[in-house]
Amino acid sequence: MPESKFDKIYADLKNKIETKVFSFNSFLPSENELTKIYSSSRTTIRRALSELIIRGYIQTNQGSRIRVIYEPIERNIFKIGGIESFKEAAIRNGFSYDTKVVHLEKIVADEKIATRTSFKIGDELYDVLRIRYINNKALILDKNYFLVSVAKNLTEEIAKKSIYDYLENELKIKIMTSKRKMTTELANLEDKTYLELENYNCLAIVSGRVFNSDGIQFEYTESRHRPDYFCFEDTAIRHKFNG
Amino acid sequence: MPESKFDKIYADLKNKIETKVFSFNSFLPSENELTKIYSSSRTTIRRALSELIIRGYIQTNQGSRIRVIYEPIERNIFKIGGIESFKEAAIRNGFSYDTKVVHLEKIVADEKIATRTSFKIGDELYDVLRIRYINNKALILDKNYFLVSVAKNLTEEIAKKSIYDYLENELKIKIMTSKRKMTTELANLEDKTYLELENYNCLAIVSGRVFNSDGIQFEYTESRHRPDYFCFEDTAIRHKFNG
DNA sequence: GCCGATTTGTCCGTATGTATC
DNA sequence: CGATACATACGGACAAATCGG
């Protein structure tokens, strides 16, 4: 739901592009025209445009007009650009989905875990392991570690539904930044045990460190995907973000 | 090389964070203080800050101060966040590197190629295949397709050095936007022929569509990496970019 | 728990520079 | 060359969240 003015303008333009009111390789109205259309300042218009640029909807070039470079395509399976959750991605693709909690237990970080997760040795953590089923196939293994001091009173019940709903709405934690890495690794014993890997011996892995508004990394997460149900999207732009 | 004012401020703050003048989990001076330090308007300061936010150096939260969340780590091998070229990544990691051009030939896009590359059937393309050696091991297979009408007169000589230097500096093409996808796929015959895959049967693949300032997709590129020499980095933030 | 000071978030209007057409 | 369009920068105003007393 758009709240601020620039966000409404962004959402409106995004929608018009997606529904081909502004089609691929056509131009948007100029910034000056947009200020009239939306009754706003040029600053606000440019703020909205910069979001469209970052997300690969348009590109701008000094002197020329604002060009639409969005195409619908993307027949993808599992897109992980932005912050789409497992559930959202499954819904978007029209798949059935289910989650099974293998375990949820309190542990204390040893050196090995500390190195991998960027927590400190001795930190008390919730260790959560979940299997994600898509169309009844075990395709994703989710490993999560949460700081017990932040994610208080986590239960299997919550893990089965949505941990993030709980953190944001119940505990009022503000999730600010997530630093993620995408790698490909050989399948380990755990992967082979819980997932249906068929003839793949590798996995696509997205690991992430999540920070709250206190600058505390309170979560480390590792999503291990069977390769054919995985896609990471990204738009790289020249060098600017606001204008 | 920083040019604009906000870019200089960005570069200076980034440097001070990387050299721990502002260390992890400490605060930057407030926006008002920064306007005095850099003798600039708050708008310009915020423009610089927004770049730091996107790149995961800092995070902001209304009411509280600007927190540094950058840590050096990154013992990575091959990072592909931003737009780091093969050569830059190799240099950054202190590796030796070499490129071998397997072939460079003109082709006409058939249906299969058109589907994969988003070019149109009948488009005349340069088809370039290169092997990237790191520390004398064949680890990356680069497949590129360029529109002949844009990337005029491409030669093996140029492909051996840097195609992008040629496009940007000789042909004066403005490279604007690159839409990329990261996937993991089973190795095909070509991969097995040219790369030293050892026991991996999968590859990490970055494919990208590159647009020039005319909104024309003039390149499709596919980098096929042996998994252990690959890492894709990303920072996801709440919802804002300029402020 | 309230209040006031501080800090970031949003928005406006304007001016000037510079690339494109 | 002039007109148009985007890029950069300034300064001011108010809103909303945070934090300390």
Side-chain angles (χ1 to χ4, degrees):
Chain A
M1 63 220 77
E3 299 154 18
S4 50
K5 196 165 178 179
F6 81 85
D7 207 9
K8 283 180 195 160
I9 298 171
Y10 160 72
D12 188 60
L13 288 172
K14 175 170 171 289
N15 179 262
K16 284 189 167 57
I17 290 171
E18 284 172 349
T19 58
K20 298 194 177 180
V21 175
F22 301 117
S23 58
F24 179 76
N25 236 319
S26 71
F27 298 104
L28 293 192
S30 73
E31 293 181 356
N32 272 326
E33 290 168 324
L34 290 171
T35 60
K36 289 165 196 161
I37 294 170
Y38 291 105
S39 303
S40 73
S41 71
R42 200 171 148 227
T43 311
T44 304
I45 293 295
R46 287 176 63 76
R47 175 76 185 272
L49 293 178
S50 71
E51 302 228 17
L52 293 169
I53 293 171
I54 294 179
R55 293 176 161 75
Y57 281 89
I58 60 173
Q59 68 181 14
T60 59
N61 187 28
Q62 190 170 5
S64 19
R65 304 185 58 190
I66 304 159
R67 192 181 295 268
V68 176
I69 55 167
Y70 170 85
E71 286 172 293
I73 43 164
E74 322 309 348
R75 67 212 166 323
N76 288 328
I77 323 280
F78 234 68
K79 189 174 73 174
I80 319 246
I83 306 194
E84 197 177 40
S85 72
F86 161 73
K87 193 171 155 183
E88 289 162 348
I91 290 170
R92 183 174 55 77
N93 287 290
F95 294 153
S96 76
Y97 59 92
D98 193 24
T99 298
K100 182 183 169 189
V101 180
V102 178
H103 66 241
L104 184 156
E105 52 195 25
K106 275 193 195 180
I107 62 164
V108 173
D110 58 19
E111 188 178 345
K112 191 179 161 196
I113 289 176
T115 303
R116 191 164 107 254
T117 64
S118 300
F119 287 118
K120 290 188 174 53
I121 296 173
D123 278 350
E124 205 182 5
L125 306 172
Y126 283 114
D127 175 351
V128 187
L129 184 65
R130 289 176 290 181
I131 305 171
R132 309 291 203 173
Y133 294 86
I134 299 168
N135 288 346
N136 298 316
K137 278 191 285 191
L139 296 179
I140 305 172
L141 196 60
D142 265 356
K143 293 170 74 74
N144 297 80
Y145 297 92
F146 294 91
L147 268 184
V148 171
S149 57
V150 175
K152 301 177 201 292
N153 305 319
L154 216 51
T155 65
E156 283 210 13
E157 188 99 12
I158 294 166
K160 169 83 176 162
K161 285 186 289 189
S162 170
I163 293 178
Y164 270 64
D165 272 2
Y166 175 70
L167 297 179
E168 289 196 294
N169 301 326
E170 297 292 320
L171 298 185
K172 306 290 181 194
I173 293 172
K174 267 200 190 178
I175 294 156
M176 302 291 292
T177 311
S178 169
K179 298 191 185 189
R180 298 180 295 188
K181 272 192 233 179
M182 226 306 309
T183 56
T184 298
E185 293 175 19
L186 286 172
N188 62 29
L189 184 60
E190 202 174 54
D191 301 322
K192 289 171 187 163
T193 304
Y194 294 113
L195 297 180
E196 302 168 39
L197 289 176
E198 293 178 5
N199 58 332
Y200 292 93
N201 73 1
C202 294
L203 292 167
I205 297 168
V206 181
S207 54
R209 304 166 56 203
V210 186
F211 295 77
N212 70 6
S213 58
D214 293 329
I216 294 173
Q217 181 200 323
F218 70 95
E219 178 188 1
Y220 173 83
T221 171
E222 213 174 273
S223 274
R224 308 174 70 86
H225 299 244
R226 197 173 88 181
D228 53 340
Y229 278 78
F230 175 80
C231 180
F232 195 107
E233 283 198 353
D234 184 39
T235 299
I237 55 180
R238 250 184 328 163
H239 181 75
K240 51 103 187 301
F241 308 99
N242 165 26
Chain B
M1 60 216 80
E3 299 155 18
S4 50
K5 196 164 179 180
F6 81 85
D7 207 11
K8 283 180 193 157
I9 298 171
Y10 160 72
D12 188 62
L13 288 173
K14 175 171 170 289
N15 178 263
K16 284 189 165 58
I17 291 171
E18 284 173 349
T19 58
K20 298 193 177 182
V21 176
F22 301 116
S23 59
F24 180 77
N25 236 320
S26 71
F27 297 105
L28 293 191
S30 72
E31 292 180 359
N32 273 325
E33 289 167 324
L34 290 171
T35 61
K36 289 166 195 160
I37 293 170
Y38 291 104
S39 302
S40 71
S41 69
R42 196 173 151 222
T43 311
T44 304
I45 293 296
R46 286 175 65 74
R47 175 77 186 272
L49 293 178
S50 69
E51 302 229 17
L52 292 169
I53 293 170
I54 294 178
R55 293 177 160 74
Y57 281 89
I58 60 173
Q59 70 181 12
T60 57
N61 187 27
Q62 189 173 147
S64 31
R65 305 183 58 188
I66 305 160
R67 193 182 296 267
V68 176
I69 57 167
Y70 170 85
E71 287 172 293
I73 40 170
E74 324 309 346
R75 66 207 167 324
N76 289 328
I77 322 280
F78 233 68
K79 188 173 73 172
I80 319 246
I83 306 194
E84 197 176 39
S85 72
F86 161 74
K87 193 172 156 183
E88 289 163 347
I91 290 171
R92 184 175 53 77
N93 287 291
F95 294 153
S96 76
Y97 60 92
D98 193 24
T99 297
K100 182 181 167 191
V101 180
V102 178
H103 67 241
L104 183 156
E105 53 197 25
K106 276 193 194 177
I107 62 165
V108 174
D110 59 17
E111 189 179 344
K112 191 179 163 195
I113 290 175
T115 304
R116 191 163 107 255
T117 65
S118 301
F119 286 118
K120 290 187 176 51
I121 296 173
D123 279 350
E124 206 183 3
L125 306 172
Y126 284 114
D127 175 351
V128 188
L129 184 64
R130 290 177 290 182
I131 305 169
R132 309 293 202 170
Y133 294 86
I134 298 167
N135 288 346
N136 299 315
K137 277 191 284 192
L139 296 179
I140 306 173
L141 196 60
D142 266 356
K143 294 170 76 73
N144 297 80
Y145 297 92
F146 295 91
L147 267 184
V148 171
S149 58
V150 176
K152 301 175 200 294
N153 304 318
L154 216 53
T155 64
E156 284 210 12
E157 188 100 10
I158 295 166
K160 169 82 175 164
K161 285 187 291 189
S162 171
I163 293 178
Y164 270 66
D165 272 2
Y166 174 70
L167 296 178
E168 289 196 295
N169 301 326
E170 297 292 320
L171 298 184
K172 305 291 183 194
I173 294 171
K174 268 199 187 178
I175 294 156
M176 302 291 293
T177 310
S178 170
K179 297 190 186 189
R180 297 181 296 190
K181 271 191 238 180
M182 226 306 309
T183 55
T184 298
E185 294 176 17
L186 285 171
N188 61 30
L189 184 59
E190 202 174 52
D191 301 323
K192 288 171 187 162
T193 305
Y194 294 114
L195 297 180
E196 301 168 40
L197 289 176
E198 293 178 5
N199 59 332
Y200 292 94
N201 74 359
C202 294
L203 291 167
I205 297 168
V206 181
S207 56
R209 302 166 58 202
V210 187
F211 296 78
N212 70 4
S213 58
D214 293 329
I216 294 174
Q217 181 199 323
F218 70 96
E219 180 189 359
Y220 174 84
T221 172
E222 212 175 275
S223 275
R224 307 175 71 86
H225 299 244
R226 195 172 89 181
D228 52 341
Y229 278 79
F230 175 80
C231 181
F232 194 107
E233 283 198 353
D234 182 40
T235 299
I237 56 180
R238 252 184 325 166
H239 180 74
K240 52 101 187 300
F241 309 98
N242 166 26

